[in-house]
Amino acid sequence: MSEPPRSRRQTRAAILGRLLASDGLFRPRLAAECRLTEASISRILAELRQENLVEEVRRPAPYPGGPSAMVTLRKDQRVAGLEFANDRLGVGLATLGGEVDGSARLALPAGSSPAAVDAAIADAIAELRGWCARAGTPPRQIAVSIPGHGAATNPILPVDPARLEAALAQAFPGVPIAIANTVAALAAVHLHGRGAAAVEARHLFVYLGHGVGGAWVEAVTAADPIQPIEIGHVVLDPTGDACRCGHRGCLEASASTVALALLCGVEEAALVAAGAEWASLVRMTARREAAIRQALFRTGLVIGNALNLMPAAQVVLCGWPAALPLAMRDAVAEGMGRSLFGGGARAIRFIAPAIGQEPAAALAYAVHALVRQGGLARIDDNAPARLVG
């Protein structure tokens, strides 16, 4: 069966995604990996060069008679990010090559008033405008990461997304703006972070932090490559511990850093600040180890049931479990085996969260939005399609 035609956005996204996941590709290989004809790849690369998104640098192939020019992203193009996390607002401007022009973290304690939030946003935008002025160019894309974004009324932070977007649009006219919740931004780190390979098949991304969330992650050419899901409030035991959502026995009530800190007798702020070294703060008794394994087992149960609803090629678990020895992390696979239909193992990749690196996740989401849109100001999947082959 032939592949259906792809839109202009999809073909451009396929090219940018491949280039982002590499240090550059020769035209024949880029065309083959994107399933495009030589004529199609030439036409689209001409567009992207004119828009300053790609360039071709002289780098002879390591074999006789091969191409002499390699296609790469224009690493001097910039993206901007604003990230609400850990009682502060992080803001930054960076190139597609990962070089940071400027970053700052503004205090925004829990319980801050709407006026305090608005003031921090105004300061962040002022900082961002200053960095752009020094760089001599506006960003190609702006992204904002907000915990709890998507709920009718944000229960975590009094941020008005519409007012925030309007303020950014006024400061940076014509620049595309993408707003995402925290889990989607963290998933973008997995999708587009350093060393990330191009995603071909669906992944399940799960985050265990102050909150617990998840997202389906698909190829960047998909209609919606990052789809957040409310996995943290799956109820495992209706008579279990109270959860901040008002129910009892949610996964978050036993697998968040709040629950972990209580179990380990350590302040959550200290545990989070320690990042990948958090286990060094804990005296690991047999009782604590058993309780942590139980939390991981429950996490695996929920993941297994999620895979029953929608299969995925890989599970990526981001958060505090990455710091544990493999023998303890195996409890996740045990839980998956007990709940996943037919049992069997699935590939699980453990990664540490980008704690204290704000706005790294928002910047990753800005790159994701830019690539996903194919570098276009607006997504238009109803535009005339281009045949592949």
Side-chain angles (χ1 to χ4, degrees), residues 286-339:
R287 182 188 69 82
R288 282 178 176 155
E289 181 174 340
I292 290 172
R293 284 187 59 85
Q294 177 69 2
L296 295 174
F297 180 82
R298 289 181 174 181
T299 301
L301 284 175
V302 173
I303 290 173
N305 278 305
L307 296 177
N308 285 334
L309 295 174
M310 187 179 292
Q314 186 182 56
V315 174
V316 178
L317 186 53
C318 174
W320 58 265
L324 295 172
L326 180 60
M328 292 183 69
R329 298 201 308 259
D330 280 347
V332 178
E334 292 172 17
M336 289 171 60
R338 292 282 289 275
S339 62

mmCIF file of all heavy atoms in Angstrom, residues 286-339:
data_model
loop_
_atom_site.group_PDB
_atom_site.id
_atom_site.type_symbol
_atom_site.label_atom_id
_atom_site.label_comp_id
_atom_site.label_asym_id
_atom_site.label_seq_id
_atom_site.Cartn_x
_atom_site.Cartn_y
_atom_site.Cartn_z
ATOM 1 N N ALA A 286 15.523 -1.021 54.993
ATOM 2 C CA ALA A 286 14.756 -2.063 54.299
ATOM 3 C C ALA A 286 13.310 -1.617 54.106
ATOM 4 O O ALA A 286 12.698 -1.877 53.053
ATOM 5 C CB ALA A 286 14.812 -3.361 55.092
ATOM 6 N N ARG A 287 12.742 -0.924 55.098
ATOM 7 C CA ARG A 287 11.347 -0.475 54.989
ATOM 8 C C ARG A 287 11.206 0.561 53.881
ATOM 9 O O ARG A 287 10.266 0.515 53.083
ATOM 10 C CB ARG A 287 10.884 0.117 56.325
ATOM 11 C CG ARG A 287 9.419 0.568 56.320
ATOM 12 C CD ARG A 287 9.061 1.319 57.583
ATOM 13 N NE ARG A 287 9.729 2.622 57.661
ATOM 14 C CZ ARG A 287 9.273 3.716 57.041
ATOM 15 N NH1 ARG A 287 8.182 3.665 56.297
ATOM 16 N NH2 ARG A 287 9.925 4.852 57.155
ATOM 17 N N ARG A 288 12.149 1.505 53.810
ATOM 18 C CA ARG A 288 12.083 2.526 52.770
ATOM 19 C C ARG A 288 12.273 1.917 51.385
ATOM 20 O O ARG A 288 11.582 2.284 50.432
ATOM 21 C CB ARG A 288 13.133 3.609 53.024
ATOM 22 C CG ARG A 288 12.721 4.598 54.116
ATOM 23 C CD ARG A 288 13.789 5.623 54.381
ATOM 24 N NE ARG A 288 13.314 6.603 55.361
ATOM 25 C CZ ARG A 288 14.093 7.320 56.141
ATOM 26 N NH1 ARG A 288 15.419 7.158 56.069
ATOM 27 N NH2 ARG A 288 13.590 8.188 56.993
ATOM 28 N N GLU A 289 13.223 1.000 51.278
ATOM 29 C CA GLU A 289 13.439 0.377 49.975
ATOM 30 C C GLU A 289 12.188 -0.355 49.510
ATOM 31 O O GLU A 289 11.800 -0.271 48.337
ATOM 32 C CB GLU A 289 14.620 -0.594 50.041
ATOM 33 C CG GLU A 289 14.904 -1.258 48.699
ATOM 34 C CD GLU A 289 16.165 -2.104 48.718
ATOM 35 O OE1 GLU A 289 17.015 -1.897 49.600
ATOM 36 O OE2 GLU A 289 16.288 -2.961 47.823
ATOM 37 N N ALA A 290 11.533 -1.065 50.419
ATOM 38 C CA ALA A 290 10.306 -1.777 50.059
ATOM 39 C C ALA A 290 9.207 -0.810 49.633
ATOM 40 O O ALA A 290 8.467 -1.064 48.676
ATOM 41 C CB ALA A 290 9.833 -2.633 51.234
ATOM 42 N N ALA A 291 9.102 0.323 50.332
ATOM 43 C CA ALA A 291 8.068 1.309 49.997
ATOM 44 C C ALA A 291 8.350 1.954 48.641
ATOM 45 O O ALA A 291 7.419 2.201 47.858
ATOM 46 C CB ALA A 291 7.989 2.365 51.085
ATOM 47 N N ILE A 292 9.619 2.232 48.352
ATOM 48 C CA ILE A 292 9.974 2.818 47.056
ATOM 49 C C ILE A 292 9.694 1.817 45.939
ATOM 50 O O ILE A 292 9.151 2.169 44.884
ATOM 51 C CB ILE A 292 11.442 3.265 47.049
ATOM 52 C CG1 ILE A 292 11.629 4.475 47.969
ATOM 53 C CG2 ILE A 292 11.907 3.605 45.632
ATOM 54 C CD1 ILE A 292 13.068 4.881 48.179
ATOM 55 N N ARG A 293 10.049 0.564 46.180
ATOM 56 C CA ARG A 293 9.750 -0.472 45.180
ATOM 57 C C ARG A 293 8.242 -0.579 44.946
ATOM 58 O O ARG A 293 7.796 -0.773 43.810
ATOM 59 C CB ARG A 293 10.317 -1.817 45.614
ATOM 60 C CG ARG A 293 11.821 -1.968 45.450
ATOM 61 C CD ARG A 293 12.253 -3.398 45.759
ATOM 62 N NE ARG A 293 11.583 -4.343 44.891
ATOM 63 C CZ ARG A 293 11.997 -4.677 43.667
ATOM 64 N NH1 ARG A 293 13.114 -4.134 43.182
ATOM 65 N NH2 ARG A 293 11.337 -5.548 42.942
ATOM 66 N N GLN A 294 7.461 -0.425 46.004
ATOM 67 C CA GLN A 294 6.008 -0.480 45.849
ATOM 68 C C GLN A 294 5.506 0.679 44.988
ATOM 69 O O GLN A 294 4.628 0.507 44.136
ATOM 70 C CB GLN A 294 5.340 -0.437 47.229
ATOM 71 C CG GLN A 294 3.810 -0.419 47.218
ATOM 72 C CD GLN A 294 3.195 -1.727 46.742
ATOM 73 O OE1 GLN A 294 3.904 -2.688 46.445
ATOM 74 N NE2 GLN A 294 1.870 -1.764 46.676
ATOM 75 N N ALA A 295 6.072 1.882 45.188
ATOM 76 C CA ALA A 295 5.683 3.035 44.372
ATOM 77 C C ALA A 295 6.046 2.796 42.905
ATOM 78 O O ALA A 295 5.267 3.125 41.996
ATOM 79 C CB ALA A 295 6.356 4.293 44.886
ATOM 80 N N LEU A 296 7.221 2.221 42.662
ATOM 81 C CA LEU A 296 7.633 1.925 41.297
ATOM 82 C C LEU A 296 6.762 0.832 40.685
ATOM 83 O O LEU A 296 6.411 0.885 39.494
ATOM 84 C CB LEU A 296 9.104 1.501 41.276
ATOM 85 C CG LEU A 296 10.114 2.572 41.681
ATOM 86 C CD1 LEU A 296 11.522 1.987 41.759
ATOM 87 C CD2 LEU A 296 10.085 3.745 40.709
ATOM 88 N N PHE A 297 6.412 -0.175 41.490
ATOM 89 C CA PHE A 297 5.542 -1.244 41.009
ATOM 90 C C PHE A 297 4.183 -0.675 40.591
ATOM 91 O O PHE A 297 3.632 -1.027 39.543
ATOM 92 C CB PHE A 297 5.372 -2.291 42.117
ATOM 93 C CG PHE A 297 4.478 -3.447 41.735
ATOM 94 C CD1 PHE A 297 4.976 -4.506 40.997
ATOM 95 C CD2 PHE A 297 3.141 -3.472 42.123
ATOM 96 C CE1 PHE A 297 4.153 -5.578 40.636
ATOM 97 C CE2 PHE A 297 2.321 -4.529 41.776
ATOM 98 C CZ PHE A 297 2.824 -5.579 41.028
ATOM 99 N N ARG A 298 3.644 0.231 41.410
ATOM 100 C CA ARG A 298 2.362 0.856 41.070
ATOM 101 C C ARG A 298 2.482 1.685 39.795
ATOM 102 O O ARG A 298 1.548 1.718 38.980
ATOM 103 C CB ARG A 298 1.895 1.735 42.230
ATOM 104 C CG ARG A 298 1.446 0.944 43.450
ATOM 105 C CD ARG A 298 0.981 1.875 44.552
ATOM 106 N NE ARG A 298 0.406 1.135 45.667
ATOM 107 C CZ ARG A 298 -0.100 1.695 46.757
ATOM 108 N NH1 ARG A 298 -0.089 3.031 46.871
ATOM 109 N NH2 ARG A 298 -0.610 0.959 47.714
ATOM 110 N N THR A 299 3.618 2.356 39.644
ATOM 111 C CA THR A 299 3.849 3.106 38.409
ATOM 112 C C THR A 299 3.805 2.163 37.211
ATOM 113 O O THR A 299 3.204 2.465 36.174
ATOM 114 C CB THR A 299 5.202 3.834 38.462
ATOM 115 O OG1 THR A 299 5.212 4.727 39.580
ATOM 116 C CG2 THR A 299 5.469 4.618 37.189
ATOM 117 N N GLY A 300 4.447 1.002 37.348
ATOM 118 C CA GLY A 300 4.432 0.015 36.272
ATOM 119 C C GLY A 300 3.036 -0.504 35.969
ATOM 120 O O GLY A 300 2.687 -0.727 34.802
ATOM 121 N N LEU A 301 2.218 -0.690 37.016
ATOM 122 C CA LEU A 301 0.838 -1.136 36.804
ATOM 123 C C LEU A 301 0.085 -0.149 35.915
ATOM 124 O O LEU A 301 -0.615 -0.535 34.969
ATOM 125 C CB LEU A 301 0.108 -1.262 38.146
ATOM 126 C CG LEU A 301 0.421 -2.461 39.040
ATOM 127 C CD1 LEU A 301 -0.322 -2.324 40.367
ATOM 128 C CD2 LEU A 301 0.020 -3.768 38.351
ATOM 129 N N VAL A 302 0.221 1.143 36.235
ATOM 130 C CA VAL A 302 -0.484 2.170 35.467
ATOM 131 C C VAL A 302 0.055 2.236 34.038
ATOM 132 O O VAL A 302 -0.719 2.343 33.074
ATOM 133 C CB VAL A 302 -0.369 3.534 36.166
ATOM 134 C CG1 VAL A 302 -0.942 4.633 35.291
ATOM 135 C CG2 VAL A 302 -1.094 3.500 37.507
ATOM 136 N N ILE A 303 1.373 2.155 33.885
ATOM 137 C CA ILE A 303 1.956 2.182 32.544
ATOM 138 C C ILE A 303 1.460 0.990 31.723
ATOM 139 O O ILE A 303 1.087 1.139 30.547
ATOM 140 C CB ILE A 303 3.499 2.179 32.628
ATOM 141 C CG1 ILE A 303 3.998 3.520 33.171
ATOM 142 C CG2 ILE A 303 4.122 1.896 31.263
ATOM 143 C CD1 ILE A 303 5.486 3.560 33.453
ATOM 144 N N GLY A 304 1.440 -0.176 32.331
ATOM 145 C CA GLY A 304 0.962 -1.365 31.619
ATOM 146 C C GLY A 304 -0.469 -1.208 31.143
ATOM 147 O O GLY A 304 -0.811 -1.579 30.012
ATOM 148 N N ASN A 305 -1.315 -0.648 31.998
ATOM 149 C CA ASN A 305 -2.711 -0.451 31.592
ATOM 150 C C ASN A 305 -2.827 0.614 30.504
ATOM 151 O O ASN A 305 -3.697 0.517 29.626
ATOM 152 C CB ASN A 305 -3.558 -0.074 32.804
ATOM 153 C CG ASN A 305 -3.964 -1.304 33.613
ATOM 154 O OD1 ASN A 305 -4.549 -2.233 33.072
ATOM 155 N ND2 ASN A 305 -3.629 -1.318 34.889
ATOM 156 N N ALA A 306 -1.967 1.643 30.555
ATOM 157 C CA ALA A 306 -1.976 2.643 29.486
ATOM 158 C C ALA A 306 -1.597 2.001 28.158
ATOM 159 O O ALA A 306 -2.184 2.305 27.111
ATOM 160 C CB ALA A 306 -1.013 3.778 29.821
ATOM 161 N N LEU A 307 -0.623 1.072 28.184
ATOM 162 C CA LEU A 307 -0.214 0.384 26.966
ATOM 163 C C LEU A 307 -1.285 -0.571 26.470
ATOM 164 O O LEU A 307 -1.334 -0.888 25.274
ATOM 165 C CB LEU A 307 1.100 -0.359 27.196
ATOM 166 C CG LEU A 307 2.319 0.513 27.511
ATOM 167 C CD1 LEU A 307 3.538 -0.343 27.781
ATOM 168 C CD2 LEU A 307 2.591 1.485 26.370
ATOM 169 N N ASN A 308 -2.142 -1.053 27.385
ATOM 170 C CA ASN A 308 -3.277 -1.864 26.944
ATOM 171 C C ASN A 308 -4.229 -1.029 26.092
ATOM 172 O O ASN A 308 -4.854 -1.535 25.154
ATOM 173 C CB ASN A 308 -4.043 -2.421 28.145
ATOM 174 C CG ASN A 308 -3.318 -3.566 28.817
ATOM 175 O OD1 ASN A 308 -2.530 -4.272 28.179
ATOM 176 N ND2 ASN A 308 -3.547 -3.758 30.103
ATOM 177 N N LEU A 309 -4.341 0.267 26.428
ATOM 178 C CA LEU A 309 -5.242 1.154 25.691
ATOM 179 C C LEU A 309 -4.622 1.606 24.373
ATOM 180 O O LEU A 309 -5.321 1.762 23.366
ATOM 181 C CB LEU A 309 -5.579 2.380 26.540
ATOM 182 C CG LEU A 309 -6.383 2.106 27.814
ATOM 183 C CD1 LEU A 309 -6.513 3.376 28.642
ATOM 184 C CD2 LEU A 309 -7.774 1.568 27.466
ATOM 185 N N MET A 310 -3.304 1.853 24.387
ATOM 186 C CA MET A 310 -2.614 2.317 23.183
ATOM 187 C C MET A 310 -1.180 1.795 23.206
ATOM 188 O O MET A 310 -0.364 2.284 23.976
ATOM 189 C CB MET A 310 -2.631 3.846 23.097
ATOM 190 C CG MET A 310 -2.086 4.376 21.778
ATOM 191 S SD MET A 310 -2.126 6.202 21.676
ATOM 192 C CE MET A 310 -3.893 6.500 21.623
ATOM 193 N N PRO A 311 -0.859 0.813 22.383
ATOM 194 C CA PRO A 311 0.500 0.248 22.379
ATOM 195 C C PRO A 311 1.546 1.298 22.010
ATOM 196 O O PRO A 311 1.268 2.264 21.302
ATOM 197 C CB PRO A 311 0.417 -0.841 21.304
ATOM 198 C CG PRO A 311 -1.036 -1.156 21.169
ATOM 199 C CD PRO A 311 -1.750 0.131 21.434
ATOM 200 N N ALA A 312 2.754 1.096 22.518
ATOM 201 C CA ALA A 312 3.875 1.980 22.209
ATOM 202 C C ALA A 312 5.143 1.156 22.085
ATOM 203 O O ALA A 312 5.284 0.111 22.726
ATOM 204 C CB ALA A 312 4.031 3.038 23.300
ATOM 205 N N ALA A 313 6.060 1.643 21.267
ATOM 206 C CA ALA A 313 7.303 0.910 21.037
ATOM 207 C C ALA A 313 8.254 1.012 22.211
ATOM 208 O O ALA A 313 9.068 0.119 22.447
ATOM 209 C CB ALA A 313 7.978 1.444 19.770
ATOM 210 N N GLN A 314 8.170 2.114 22.963
ATOM 211 C CA GLN A 314 9.096 2.319 24.073
ATOM 212 C C GLN A 314 8.428 3.148 25.155
ATOM 213 O O GLN A 314 7.539 3.953 24.880
ATOM 214 C CB GLN A 314 10.363 3.030 23.597
ATOM 215 C CG GLN A 314 11.447 3.151 24.674
ATOM 216 C CD GLN A 314 12.686 3.899 24.191
ATOM 217 O OE1 GLN A 314 12.598 5.021 23.735
ATOM 218 N NE2 GLN A 314 13.845 3.266 24.293
ATOM 219 N N VAL A 315 8.869 2.910 26.391
ATOM 220 C CA VAL A 315 8.445 3.724 27.529
ATOM 221 C C VAL A 315 9.648 4.531 27.995
ATOM 222 O O VAL A 315 10.737 3.985 28.185
ATOM 223 C CB VAL A 315 7.921 2.849 28.685
ATOM 224 C CG1 VAL A 315 7.617 3.714 29.913
ATOM 225 C CG2 VAL A 315 6.685 2.075 28.262
ATOM 226 N N VAL A 316 9.464 5.831 28.154
ATOM 227 C CA VAL A 316 10.521 6.714 28.670
ATOM 228 C C VAL A 316 10.042 7.239 30.010
ATOM 229 O O VAL A 316 9.020 7.929 30.083
ATOM 230 C CB VAL A 316 10.797 7.880 27.712
ATOM 231 C CG1 VAL A 316 11.864 8.800 28.293
ATOM 232 C CG2 VAL A 316 11.229 7.352 26.348
ATOM 233 N N LEU A 317 10.742 6.896 31.078
ATOM 234 C CA LEU A 317 10.371 7.302 32.436
ATOM 235 C C LEU A 317 11.359 8.357 32.915
ATOM 236 O O LEU A 317 12.537 8.067 33.144
ATOM 237 C CB LEU A 317 10.362 6.093 33.372
ATOM 238 C CG LEU A 317 9.863 6.311 34.797
ATOM 239 C CD1 LEU A 317 8.499 6.970 34.813
ATOM 240 C CD2 LEU A 317 9.810 4.995 35.545
ATOM 241 N N CYS A 318 10.880 9.578 33.046
ATOM 242 C CA CYS A 318 11.717 10.710 33.439
ATOM 243 C C CYS A 318 11.401 11.089 34.881
ATOM 244 O O CYS A 318 10.235 11.243 35.242
ATOM 245 C CB CYS A 318 11.435 11.881 32.504
ATOM 246 S SG CYS A 318 12.267 13.419 32.943
ATOM 247 N N GLY A 319 12.450 11.260 35.695
ATOM 248 C CA GLY A 319 12.207 11.677 37.072
ATOM 249 C C GLY A 319 13.110 10.984 38.054
ATOM 250 O O GLY A 319 14.159 10.433 37.699
ATOM 251 N N TRP A 320 12.680 10.984 39.315
ATOM 252 C CA TRP A 320 13.529 10.504 40.401
ATOM 253 C C TRP A 320 13.967 9.045 40.286
ATOM 254 O O TRP A 320 15.044 8.688 40.786
ATOM 255 C CB TRP A 320 12.864 10.756 41.748
ATOM 256 C CG TRP A 320 11.501 10.132 41.943
ATOM 257 C CD1 TRP A 320 10.296 10.712 41.745
ATOM 258 C CD2 TRP A 320 11.230 8.799 42.412
ATOM 259 N NE1 TRP A 320 9.280 9.846 42.047
ATOM 260 C CE2 TRP A 320 9.832 8.672 42.475
ATOM 261 C CE3 TRP A 320 12.025 7.722 42.808
ATOM 262 C CZ2 TRP A 320 9.202 7.489 42.891
ATOM 263 C CZ3 TRP A 320 11.416 6.552 43.220
ATOM 264 C CH2 TRP A 320 10.020 6.443 43.266
ATOM 265 N N PRO A 321 13.220 8.122 39.638
ATOM 266 C CA PRO A 321 13.702 6.733 39.578
ATOM 267 C C PRO A 321 15.031 6.568 38.851
ATOM 268 O O PRO A 321 15.739 5.572 39.071
ATOM 269 C CB PRO A 321 12.576 6.006 38.822
ATOM 270 C CG PRO A 321 11.351 6.814 39.093
ATOM 271 C CD PRO A 321 11.842 8.226 39.099
ATOM 272 N N ALA A 322 15.408 7.524 37.980
ATOM 273 C CA ALA A 322 16.654 7.387 37.219
ATOM 274 C C ALA A 322 17.878 7.301 38.124
ATOM 275 O O ALA A 322 18.917 6.766 37.726
ATOM 276 C CB ALA A 322 16.803 8.556 36.244
ATOM 277 N N ALA A 323 17.774 7.816 39.360
ATOM 278 C CA ALA A 323 18.919 7.824 40.279
ATOM 279 C C ALA A 323 19.069 6.506 41.038
ATOM 280 O O ALA A 323 20.048 6.327 41.761
ATOM 281 C CB ALA A 323 18.769 8.968 41.283
ATOM 282 N N LEU A 324 18.120 5.596 40.894
ATOM 283 C CA LEU A 324 18.130 4.349 41.664
ATOM 284 C C LEU A 324 18.901 3.251 40.935
ATOM 285 O O LEU A 324 18.994 3.260 39.709
ATOM 286 C CB LEU A 324 16.697 3.883 41.909
ATOM 287 C CG LEU A 324 15.837 4.801 42.790
ATOM 288 C CD1 LEU A 324 14.390 4.328 42.776
ATOM 289 C CD2 LEU A 324 16.384 4.835 44.214
ATOM 290 N N PRO A 325 19.415 2.278 41.672
ATOM 291 C CA PRO A 325 20.082 1.149 41.023
ATOM 292 C C PRO A 325 19.088 0.315 40.208
ATOM 293 O O PRO A 325 17.888 0.309 40.480
ATOM 294 C CB PRO A 325 20.664 0.344 42.197
ATOM 295 C CG PRO A 325 19.873 0.762 43.387
ATOM 296 C CD PRO A 325 19.467 2.183 43.145
ATOM 297 N N LEU A 326 19.615 -0.383 39.220
ATOM 298 C CA LEU A 326 18.771 -1.155 38.317
ATOM 299 C C LEU A 326 17.895 -2.154 39.061
ATOM 300 O O LEU A 326 16.730 -2.375 38.694
ATOM 301 C CB LEU A 326 19.659 -1.886 37.299
ATOM 302 C CG LEU A 326 18.938 -2.748 36.258
ATOM 303 C CD1 LEU A 326 17.999 -1.880 35.420
ATOM 304 C CD2 LEU A 326 19.944 -3.470 35.373
ATOM 305 N N ALA A 327 18.423 -2.763 40.117
ATOM 306 C CA ALA A 327 17.663 -3.775 40.857
ATOM 307 C C ALA A 327 16.371 -3.199 41.426
ATOM 308 O O ALA A 327 15.367 -3.916 41.538
ATOM 309 C CB ALA A 327 18.521 -4.356 41.970
ATOM 310 N N MET A 328 16.377 -1.904 41.787
ATOM 311 C CA MET A 328 15.155 -1.280 42.298
ATOM 312 C C MET A 328 14.257 -0.823 41.152
ATOM 313 O O MET A 328 13.034 -0.957 41.212
ATOM 314 C CB MET A 328 15.507 -0.096 43.210
ATOM 315 C CG MET A 328 16.169 -0.511 44.512
ATOM 316 S SD MET A 328 16.483 0.897 45.618
ATOM 317 C CE MET A 328 14.816 1.344 46.101
ATOM 318 N N ARG A 329 14.866 -0.319 40.083
ATOM 319 C CA ARG A 329 14.070 0.145 38.947
ATOM 320 C C ARG A 329 13.317 -0.998 38.272
ATOM 321 O O ARG A 329 12.296 -0.772 37.608
ATOM 322 C CB ARG A 329 14.956 0.856 37.923
ATOM 323 C CG ARG A 329 15.654 2.097 38.448
ATOM 324 C CD ARG A 329 16.075 3.017 37.314
ATOM 325 N NE ARG A 329 16.840 2.359 36.273
ATOM 326 C CZ ARG A 329 18.159 2.416 36.151
ATOM 327 N NH1 ARG A 329 18.882 3.098 37.031
ATOM 328 N NH2 ARG A 329 18.763 1.805 35.156
ATOM 329 N N ASP A 330 13.787 -2.216 38.448
ATOM 330 C CA ASP A 330 13.113 -3.369 37.855
ATOM 331 C C ASP A 330 11.671 -3.523 38.337
ATOM 332 O O ASP A 330 10.871 -4.204 37.695
ATOM 333 C CB ASP A 330 13.883 -4.659 38.162
ATOM 334 C CG ASP A 330 15.085 -4.846 37.249
ATOM 335 O OD1 ASP A 330 15.171 -4.124 36.234
ATOM 336 O OD2 ASP A 330 15.932 -5.703 37.553
ATOM 337 N N ALA A 331 11.348 -2.887 39.463
ATOM 338 C CA ALA A 331 9.980 -2.970 39.976
ATOM 339 C C ALA A 331 8.980 -2.373 38.994
ATOM 340 O O ALA A 331 7.812 -2.774 38.966
ATOM 341 C CB ALA A 331 9.881 -2.260 41.327
ATOM 342 N N VAL A 332 9.425 -1.398 38.177
ATOM 343 C CA VAL A 332 8.530 -0.821 37.165
ATOM 344 C C VAL A 332 8.144 -1.886 36.144
ATOM 345 O O VAL A 332 6.965 -2.056 35.801
ATOM 346 C CB VAL A 332 9.197 0.379 36.455
ATOM 347 C CG1 VAL A 332 8.281 0.930 35.367
ATOM 348 C CG2 VAL A 332 9.546 1.468 37.453
ATOM 349 N N ALA A 333 9.136 -2.625 35.665
ATOM 350 C CA ALA A 333 8.865 -3.693 34.689
ATOM 351 C C ALA A 333 7.994 -4.778 35.298
ATOM 352 O O ALA A 333 7.128 -5.357 34.616
ATOM 353 C CB ALA A 333 10.179 -4.282 34.176
ATOM 354 N N GLU A 334 8.201 -5.059 36.596
ATOM 355 C CA GLU A 334 7.369 -6.066 37.260
ATOM 356 C C GLU A 334 5.898 -5.631 37.264
ATOM 357 O O GLU A 334 4.997 -6.428 36.992
ATOM 358 C CB GLU A 334 7.851 -6.290 38.687
ATOM 359 C CG GLU A 334 9.222 -6.951 38.784
ATOM 360 C CD GLU A 334 9.744 -6.977 40.216
ATOM 361 O OE1 GLU A 334 8.922 -6.778 41.144
ATOM 362 O OE2 GLU A 334 10.954 -7.166 40.399
ATOM 363 N N GLY A 335 5.671 -4.370 37.585
ATOM 364 C CA GLY A 335 4.304 -3.864 37.570
ATOM 365 C C GLY A 335 3.698 -3.897 36.183
ATOM 366 O O GLY A 335 2.527 -4.261 36.008
ATOM 367 N N MET A 336 4.478 -3.534 35.169
ATOM 368 C CA MET A 336 3.987 -3.584 33.797
ATOM 369 C C MET A 336 3.608 -5.013 33.412
ATOM 370 O O MET A 336 2.565 -5.246 32.787
ATOM 371 C CB MET A 336 5.048 -3.045 32.837
ATOM 372 C CG MET A 336 5.255 -1.548 32.920
ATOM 373 S SD MET A 336 6.704 -0.978 31.967
ATOM 374 C CE MET A 336 6.268 -1.510 30.317
ATOM 375 N N GLY A 337 4.465 -5.965 33.822
ATOM 376 C CA GLY A 337 4.185 -7.361 33.489
ATOM 377 C C GLY A 337 2.916 -7.884 34.129
ATOM 378 O O GLY A 337 2.268 -8.785 33.590
ATOM 379 N N ARG A 338 2.543 -7.311 35.281
ATOM 380 C CA ARG A 338 1.341 -7.772 35.988
ATOM 381 C C ARG A 338 0.059 -7.171 35.421
ATOM 382 O O ARG A 338 -1.030 -7.677 35.690
ATOM 383 C CB ARG A 338 1.463 -7.409 37.464
ATOM 384 C CG ARG A 338 2.535 -8.184 38.199
ATOM 385 C CD ARG A 338 2.089 -9.601 38.551
ATOM 386 N NE ARG A 338 1.097 -9.569 39.605
ATOM 387 C CZ ARG A 338 1.382 -9.524 40.909
ATOM 388 N NH1 ARG A 338 2.655 -9.502 41.287
ATOM 389 N NH2 ARG A 338 0.427 -9.502 41.806
ATOM 390 N N SER A 339 0.186 -6.056 34.680
ATOM 391 C CA SER A 339 -1.033 -5.399 34.195
ATOM 392 C C SER A 339 -1.146 -5.371 32.675
ATOM 393 O O SER A 339 -2.241 -5.257 32.144
ATOM 394 C CB SER A 339 -1.109 -3.962 34.723
ATOM 395 O OG SER A 339 -0.014 -3.192 34.257
#
